[in-house]
């Protein structure tokens, strides 16, 4: 396994600490969770950078990276539902998109990396979750929730962008074959 893949895998190690810390949401625990989350999220950039720089881009990395990203995003979101900070249906939309794209990727002949919309989706999710985890003053409550809903919208848009070109290609194949 390559160094970038080990870094990707290391992101998983922070998840139990984030979940545990959010079960006792004191200000200190939340700052610790925030720090762990941000450090783990930064490794998403680092593993991709190193994979390209060291010429170690691999199918395992292309598969593992988005899977670990999904776990890193969904774990704190589930805790934030329990804390009453965000509605479950918003997280359900994110989960539904992630499952749909994961299913779509399984049927692809070649594993591809994330497109710009997928990366934008991930960045907005990370920003929203970081804002929601951090024990900020009440003035930050509305911007944090808005950031969450922006991330939900970009999650759905990026999912549609992945699937719509596939649908158009299938439609053109049906027309070309006369079906």
């Amino acid at each position: 396994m390559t160094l970038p893949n080990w870094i990707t895998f290391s992101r998983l190690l922070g998840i139990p600490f984030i979940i545990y810390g959010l079960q006792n949401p004191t200000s200190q625990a939340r700052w610790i969770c925030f720090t762990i989350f941000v450090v783990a999220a930064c490794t998403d950039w680092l593993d991709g950078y190193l994979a390209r720089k060291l010429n170690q881009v691999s199918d395992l990395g292309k598969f593992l990276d988005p899977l670990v990203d999904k776990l890193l995003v969904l774990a704190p979101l589930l805790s934030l539902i329990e804390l009453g900070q965000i509605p479950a249906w918003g997280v359900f939309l994110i989960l539904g998109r992630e499952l749909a794209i994961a299913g779509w990727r399984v049927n692809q002949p070649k594993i591809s990396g994330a497109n710009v919309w997928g990366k934008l989706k991930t960045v907005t999710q990370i920003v929203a979750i970081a804002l929601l985890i951090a024990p900020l003053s009440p003035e930050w409550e509305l911007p944090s929730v808005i950031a969450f809903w922006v991330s939900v919208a970009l999650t759905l848009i990026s999912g549609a962008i992945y699937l719509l070109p596939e649908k158009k290609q299938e439609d053109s194949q049906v027309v070309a074959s006369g079906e």
Side-chain angles (χ1 to χ4, degrees), residues 30-148:
R30 288 185 80 125
W31 279 120
I32 292 169
C33 291
F34 170 83
T35 302
I36 293 169
F37 179 77
V38 169
V39 168
C42 288
T43 67
D44 185 30
W45 171 83
L46 179 62
D47 62 19
Y49 172 78
L50 288 176
R52 289 183 298 278
K53 180 94 170 155
L54 301 174
N55 198 25
Q56 294 181 345
V57 175
S58 67
D59 283 346
L60 175 62
K62 289 179 189 177
F63 170 78
L64 192 60
D65 186 64
L67 177 63
V68 172
D69 288 348
K70 288 167 186 36
L71 294 172
L72 182 64
V73 164
L74 289 169
L77 286 176
L78 293 173
S79 293
L80 292 166
I81 291 170
E82 190 175 354
L83 294 170
Q85 285 187 251
I86 53 174
W89 70 272
V91 176
F92 178 79
L93 291 173
I94 292 173
L95 177 60
R97 181 269 190 206
E98 299 300 352
L99 291 174
I101 297 303
W104 173 80
R105 280 188 173 153
V106 167
N107 292 315
Q108 299 305 301
K110 184 177 180 200
I111 299 173
S112 62
N115 67 21
V116 69
W117 287 96
K119 292 179 183 198
L120 183 59
K121 175 240 358 158
T122 299
V123 168
T124 59
Q125 287 174 343
I126 288 167
V127 168
I129 292 166
L131 288 171
L132 289 162
I133 289 174
L136 302 172
S137 63
E139 296 86 40
W140 281 94
E141 187 174 326
L142 182 60
S144 300
V145 172
I146 290 170
F148 169 72

Side-chain angles (χ1 to χ4, degrees), residues 166-179:
E166 188 71 20
K167 176 73 173 136
K168 287 178 189 172
Q169 183 179 5
E170 288 172 9
D171 290 346
S172 65
Q173 289 172 352
V174 168
V175 169
S177 68
E179 293 178 16

